[in-house]
Amino acid sequence: MSTMEKSCPPTEALAGWLQGSLAPQDRSHLASHLAACDECRRAVAIASTLDAPPAAPVNEILLSKVVAASRPRRFFPFAAAAAAVLAAVVGFSMFPKNSPPSAPPPAVVQRPTEVVPAVKPAPTPEIRRTGTPVAPPQPGEAPKNPTVVVEQPKAPSKTVVAPEKPGEEKTVTIVIPETAPDPKPGPKETVAPVKVPVDVLSLAPVFVIDPVGDLWLRRDEAEAKAVSLEKVAYKDKFSTRNGGASFSLEARTSVMLEKGSEVALWHVKADDLYSMALDQGLVMLDTEGSSQKWRISFGNSKLDFNNLNGRLAVESRGDRMSALLLDGSAELKIGTMAKKAQVGQEVVFSREGTVVEQKVETQKKLARLDELRPKVFTAFNSTFDEKSDESQAYPYAVVTGKRALGPTGFFLQADSLAAGKPGEKNALTSEIHLDRTFGVVTGMWIKFRYRTNLPTFSVKIGNYSADFTSRVRAGQWGEGEIPLGAFFFEGTPLYPTDPVENVRFTGSTEKKNGQLDIDGVQFLRRVK
Amino acid sequence: MTLTAGTLIGILAFCGSRQDDKTFQPAIKKFREEYYKVGAKDDDKIQAVNYLGQYRHERIVAELAPLLTEASPPVRAMTARLLSQFTSVETAPAVLLGGLKSQANAGKKQMAVRIEILRALGALRYKPAGTEVAKLVDDRDVWVAKAAIDACGRIRVQESIDPLLKALRRIEGSAGDLEVLPLEDVLEGVSRGALLKPDPAQKRPTERDVLKQPILSALSSVTKQSFPSSREWDVWWSKNKASFRVAD
């Protein structure tokens, strides 16, 4: 598919993407476009990995060439012919017949013979902001490209509102620094190149939900305490300071960080692979009954856990990294070695890829994991106040009913269907479709806020339904919860692994002004 | 000569079996590790079953067969549901039929297992199960009866017509007025929660509401005839029973 012809962004926008200089909104739009447009994605990916030292913050010339090359070439034969003729004409007119065949450019002649250090040891944050997005953290990785000359940018404007005390629960706002390059050519700085992985555009942000404990999120130079929902890119880092912390990662994995840990997490969409780069401390994962792919990056080494279904502890030990399967099963792969992971068999590896295995005790770590872990696991959560953009942690669509605005925000109002025949009742229905289906897990239940003037209504998940008796007066809001095991379809209940794709609320009444409003739907599981 | 051919077939079958074992051994090994691991819960076991169910082969059916009678009710039910997708494996419906006949699935707590097996047999359109399925058309559990009626409509054997007509006559009478009770406490480990107490004022559906239309549909599917009530069906059946053959 070529979406390039429809509404592809200009080259400058793609350059801005690579620079990280786009406004968050623009970046969000462009990210959506890149997710759908093969040509632009390819162009940016190629341009981001080009080694030629650019004279601009981002190699816009090369980028534009790549963009041009990746776009459909409808008029290529004519354009090429015209360009050839033009080049020939210009060439003949510009070069005198007796000019020397090849004169070296002055810059080369004037270059001093002394070897100048090509890489500046520690680029300042401001300079770094002008570069391409940083690669996933790989401690100790030596820069491969010796020099990149970039323009000095304006000082970034940044606003960070952090809680006054580290342990204080407070909503904070992080404004990502603006990094528009200075239009005027400024003094040149030489900085260490930041190599963007080829697959950078397939790295999707991860959603962190309901963090508990002393969890902090660092984005560029800004740092703030993590709030109830964070969208985290691969260059952001989580850290814990005065105590441990835990959170649910995209409602799929429980992640526990021991005190003093620092870690980056990201997701490779194409492979459905979660990746982790741990700088320090101890991180533990629980895949909560699902099979997942995880990669532990450490320097040049990569330890892969395929079909990880269980609990994993990853610990940084300075120049070594340890990974230990605490429970469950997985297939591990590091370098050329691939085998089934053994519970209690610790894999210790270095940045260079040397691997040592040893048998260790898992009980203490398991006990600590249980201590730290989130006590409730959220599989879906909607308050109907979400904006329908890509930042939705639990994307969904309203199929029936409509979002209505109340004093405290939006709620889902059921559509009313008038009775077709005398004696029939009017029907009320609202339904949402979950974009990300999940499987039923034992002990899961649905929780919702409701307001109705019906004595009973039904909640349906696919073909399975449960009747709910209202416990509130008409016009008042109340909370309801139903275990998923109480949903039946013709005598059979919902079983573990059955998919949850939609939720429907239905009721019937003889009244003309029937009411069935839902404000908030959650699928939860208490962790024992 | 016969002996030689038989020996040859035996050798080929043996080789084939060995080859199958080799092909599916890694998957079976992984399944066993996951299913029989210490502390495995129903969720883990169902996941292991679903994993193995990706490979649709007689060897896999043989591996899953014991679960239909030995596992917990949710695992049995999910195994039956999985086997309903083994359309090209001849042994799958036979294993399901065995599970339906087994005393291990006769209790009230195994009602959902019986229902899933009936749905699976219907989905596989396994004619040898027609008579056994037809016996359950008049089951006292209305949802088992409903699943059996639906399965009869799919399997389409002549032996199911009489039981279907009998069930139709029954629910058209006063027996059809019985209310279908909520499934509270029917299934192990399932609780409706404090807020789910049924409203006494709410009218429950009757057996007639639940079963009449499915019976008429099943009869219509088997006979390719259509009548609104047992009276017309009885008239037609008395005239045609002797010569009737199920059309392919």
Side-chain angles (χ1 to χ4, degrees), chain A residues 426-438:
Chain A
N426 301 320
L428 291 164
T429 309
S430 59
E431 181 179 353
I432 58 170
H433 182 269
L434 282 55
D435 288 359
R436 195 184 300 146
T437 304
F438 62 88

Side-chain angles (χ1 to χ4, degrees), chain A residues 289 329 442 467 469 488 498, chain B residues 34 43 47 81 187 190 196-197:
Chain A
S329 62
T442 300
D467 292 338
T469 305
F488 284 90
D498 274 340
Chain B
E34 290 295 312
D43 295 47
Q47 269 197 340
R81 198 187 290 179
L187 297 164
V190 171
L196 280 172
K197 296 286 182 217

Side-chain angles (χ1 to χ4, degrees), chain A residues 385-419:
Chain A
D385 292 310
E386 299 85 3
K387 292 174 184 172
S388 55
D389 60 15
E390 62 160 16
S391 65
Q392 269 185 263
Y394 305 100
Y396 67 92
V398 175
V399 179
T400 313
K402 60 175 180 285
R403 286 168 77 233
L405 186 60
T408 57
F410 284 93
F411 60 88
L412 183 63
Q413 192 174 53
D415 278 349
S416 182
L417 186 67

Side-chain angles (χ1 to χ4, degrees), chain B residues 27-35 48-49 52 63 67:
Chain B
I28 291 169
K29 188 170 173 243
K30 187 179 174 191
F31 161 75
R32 286 178 180 168
E33 283 170 358
E34 290 295 312
Y35 189 91
V49 168
L52 194 60
E63 190 70 25
L67 307 187

Side-chain angles (χ1 to χ4, degrees), chain A residues 338-506:
Chain A
K339 61 183 218 173
K340 186 175 164 51
Q342 300 291 325
V343 172
Q345 188 79 7
E346 187 182 44
V347 180
V348 182
F349 61 105
S350 69
R351 289 190 176 92
E352 293 75 33
T354 54
V355 183
V356 179
E357 289 186 71
Q358 56 193 24
K359 197 81 183 166
V360 294
E361 183 57 54
T362 59
Q363 290 305 314
K364 277 187 182 175
K365 280 201 172 96
L366 273 172
R368 184 62 179 147
L369 183 151
D370 285 335
E371 200 178 324
L372 283 174
R373 67 175 306 139
K375 300 300 179 266
V376 172
F377 187 76
T378 309
F380 178 80
N381 183 17
S382 163
T383 61
F384 303 109
D385 292 310
E386 299 85 3
K387 292 174 184 172
S388 55
D389 60 15
E390 62 160 16
S391 65
Q392 269 185 263
Y394 305 100
Y396 67 92
V398 175
V399 179
T400 313
K402 60 175 180 285
R403 286 168 77 233
L405 186 60
T408 57
F410 284 93
F411 60 88
L412 183 63
Q413 192 174 53
D415 278 349
S416 182
L417 186 67
K421 295 175 188 173
E424 281 186 357
K425 292 181 176 180
N426 301 320
L428 291 164
T429 309
S430 59
E431 181 179 353
I432 58 170
H433 182 269
L434 282 55
D435 288 359
R436 195 184 300 146
T437 304
F438 62 88
V440 170
V441 179
T442 300
M444 191 175 266
W445 82 100
I446 180 175
K447 194 175 174 182
F448 49 88
R449 283 191 80 223
Y450 68 98
R451 181 172 64 177
T452 185
N453 56 5
L454 312 178
T456 58
F457 58 91
S458 291
V459 185
K460 294 191 174 182
I461 297 170
N463 287 329
Y464 296 80
S465 69
D467 292 338
F468 185 84
T469 305
S470 172
R471 291 289 186 272
V472 293
R473 289 179 187 173
Q476 286 183 342
W477 286 100
E479 282 195 359
E481 60 179 58
I482 308 172
L484 296 198
F487 283 76
F488 284 90
F489 167 65
E490 295 186 352
T492 50
L494 269 173
Y495 282 122
T497 73
D498 274 340
V500 177
E501 295 171 345
N502 66 340
V503 191
R504 193 147 42 104
F505 297 87
T506 62

Side-chain angles (χ1 to χ4, degrees), chain B residues 162-184:
Chain B
D162 277 323
L164 284 168
L165 286 174
K166 187 183 166 195
L168 183 61
R169 282 192 293 271
R170 186 182 73 81
I171 61 151
E172 280 182 346
S174 58
D177 295 334
L178 285 174
E179 283 191 354
V180 177
L181 297 173
L183 290 158
E184 199 166 10

Side-chain angles (χ1 to χ4, degrees), chain B residues 69 72 87 115 119 141 171 182 199 228 234:
Chain B
T69 51
S72 66
T87 47
I115 293 172
R119 287 178 189 162
D141 290 317
I171 61 151
D199 181 5
D234 283 338

